Amino acid sequence: MKLLLFLIVSFFVEANEDFITKDEYASQLYNNPRGISCALCHNENGTAKLIAKYTHEEESRRFETPQINNLSYEKFHKALNNRIRGMPRYFLTDSEIKLLYYYLQQRSKKI
Ligand code: HEC
């Protein structure tokens, strides 16, 4: 009986080490969702980023992403379910979108 108890307890202790925290999971999701990091175009914290500068018909243009860490959840969620020019379409689940939103909220609190 003692042995059985020991085995059960050690199983849970071992298994527990494999779990990642919500913050770790959120960070992994932001930095590698479907293989293309949000941080590439939205920085570590979801601040605005200049992607490219170019000249079109002798006019200098800037292609920048907007700040995404200050949006309402509704706007954030809607944006991720729509086609956005210049952004890959991820087909994220609602819980993934919630976690990404949570991640950006946490990050912007730390600045
Ligand atoms: C290849 C670059 C790129 C990547 C990667 C990318 N985005 Fe974007 N994102 C953009 C661009 C460009 C826009 C703005 C397009 C525009 O101005 O119409 C945008 C807009 C947004 C918006 C809407 C902002 C607003 O004010 O309406 C949200 C939200 C957003 N991105 C979240 C994300 C998240 C979350 C990820 C990762 C899952 C991600 N993006 C990955 C380029 C990217």
Side-chain angles (χ1 to χ4, degrees), residues 38-91:
C38 309
L40 261 182
C41 302
H42 294 288
N43 291 323
E44 266 304 304
N45 305 316
T47 47
K49 185 174 180 181
L50 178 65
I51 307 284
K53 246 171 147 173
Y54 59 97
T55 311
H56 181 71
E57 291 173 353
E58 286 175 26
E59 225 178 83
S60 131
R61 305 248 176 120
R62 297 161 69 87
F63 183 47
E64 325 177 61
T65 55
Q67 184 175 358
I68 59 162
N69 60 9
N70 61 348
L71 305 173
S72 67
Y73 179 69
E74 286 68 35
K75 198 167 177 203
F76 186 79
H77 185 274
K78 210 168 152 194
L80 284 166
N81 276 313
N82 282 321
R83 260 206 164 281
I84 299 183
R85 187 180 55 95
M87 176 164 141
R89 193 137 188 229
Y90 286 97
F91 300 100

Side-chain angles (χ1 to χ4, degrees), residues 23-42:
D23 285 25
E24 283 167 344
Y25 178 46
S27 165
Q28 284 177 11
L29 196 59
Y30 185 77
N31 288 296
N32 199 14
R34 314 285 189 264
I36 311 167
S37 168
C38 309
L40 261 182
C41 302
H42 294 288

